Amino acid sequence: MNALDYAEALARVIKASSRVELIVRREYEKSITAFVGTAQDRQDWQAATPYAGVTAFSSRERSDLIASEVTLELGLYDESVDRANGIARLHAYDVFKELIPAIVRDLKEQVLSLTTTAYLDEMRVEFSQADFPLVTATVTFDIEETIPVGRWLR
């Protein structure tokens, strides 16, 4: 599989995930919008969120493995604030703290299980409030799929 295959599979899994649906419905009373590529409607954030945009970034093939990089952008329109121990914190960060591990579980259980030799090599998360009250988390997944050495070609 290559990065585009993983991106498409991850978008389908996020949209069908009961874990993701439970978190998003509880917090925002609507379902998540999932797509492959970049969001085209970047004007009305309140209507577009919560969203999950999955982008195939790169695939590199070597003799022993295929390395794919897939980026997931999660967007939440949320200006509410929680207070804990006298510290104000945007509520969206609490949602991300629950949502990202749920997506990672689904990625490992449903997407990476499509091939027995694929595994999540690395994951990086970056947050942004550049378009506040839109708060985003960009999660980059490095997925590697080993290719058996010495396999018989037919």
Side-chain angles (χ1 to χ4, degrees), residues 112-127:
L112 297 182
S113 66
L114 295 174
T115 176
T116 59
T117 59
Y119 60 94
L120 179 59
D121 182 50
E122 187 177 312
M123 181 182 98
R124 298 174 300 285
V125 183
E126 296 177 27
F127 300 96

Side-chain angles (χ1 to χ4, degrees), residues 33-90:
T33 302
F35 51 86
V36 176
T38 304
Q40 297 303 308
D41 178 18
R42 297 182 83 85
Q43 299 301 315
D44 186 4
W45 291 118
Q46 193 166 7
T49 60
Y51 70 82
V54 188
T55 305
F57 190 70
S58 69
S59 278
R60 299 171 308 284
E61 189 167 337
R62 299 193 319 233
S63 61
D64 61 335
L65 66 83
I66 300 170
S68 299
E69 188 173 314
V70 175
T71 301
L72 165 66
E73 180 182 279
L74 296 168
L76 302 177
Y77 186 92
D78 195 337
E79 54 189 315
S80 60
V81 175
D82 294 329
R83 295 198 182 275
N85 300 323
I87 298 173
R89 182 181 60 244
L90 282 174

